[in-house]
Amino acid sequence: MSSFETELLALLPRLRRFSQSLSRNVADADDLCQVALEKALNARASWVPGTRMDSWMYRIIRNSWIDTARARVRAAETFVAEEAGAAVTGDDAATVEAGVVRSEIAGAMNTLPVEQREAVALVLIEGMAYKDAAAVLDIPMGTLTSRLVRGRQALMMVLGEAA
């Protein structure tokens, strides 16, 4: 396996998380991730070894999501099926509570406008530096900062109401 493929495989969990934050749906996120990986493999000659593959892949995912969103019209919001509760594992209270908290945070993220959700996902969830996140989103650093501030405030309001 080449270093390109090895590095790409190591990024998969992060790419899936970012895809999920954009698509708000696990199945759509998997599809988005697959499309982005296919594009990356087809464009591997354009990746410069020694540069940040994560930034390159986040940009591919974001652009793929924009293409997907433009091509598709959603008829209704996606709801979790009742059977999804059967997949909850662990019977201790901490495991259940952690799942509830993750669900509340995911729900709060889904209320954010896409611009804020992208910024929050890259900086707060993925831990990307402001400069790198601004480059991935192709926006000035000041714009990224204001989206983060508004996104954090909105999350605190939503999560504060949930508490």
Side-chain angles (χ1 to χ4, degrees), residues 36-59:
L37 289 170
E38 182 180 349
K39 287 181 179 181
L41 289 170
N42 288 333
R44 73 186 313 165
S46 69
W47 179 69
V48 180
T51 60
R52 293 196 53 174
M53 183 178 278
D54 60 345
S55 295
W56 185 64
M57 285 303 303
Y58 288 140
R59 184 175 292 267

Side-chain angles (χ1 to χ4, degrees), residues 26 80-91 95-96 99 102:
V26 175
V80 176
E82 187 176 338
E83 298 80 36
V88 175
T89 60
D91 57 353
T95 303
V96 173
R102 278 193 302 275

Side-chain angles (χ1 to χ4, degrees), residues 72-146:
R72 180 186 341 169
V73 176
R74 294 193 184 265
E77 286 187 43
T78 303
F79 292 96
V80 176
E82 187 176 338
E83 298 80 36
V88 175
T89 60
D91 57 353
D92 79 308
T95 303
V96 173
E97 187 173 337
V100 169
V101 170
R102 278 193 302 275
S103 177
E104 287 175 357
I105 292 170
M109 284 285 289
N110 289 342
T111 67
L112 296 178
V114 68
E115 296 85 8
Q116 292 174 14
R117 197 170 60 252
E118 289 173 338
V120 168
L122 288 174
V123 175
L124 300 180
I125 296 173
E126 295 302 324
M128 193 174 260
Y130 282 34
K131 176 183 171 187
D132 296 331
V136 167
L137 298 174
D138 198 26
I139 58 175
M141 187 99 81
T143 303
L144 175 74
T145 304
S146 68

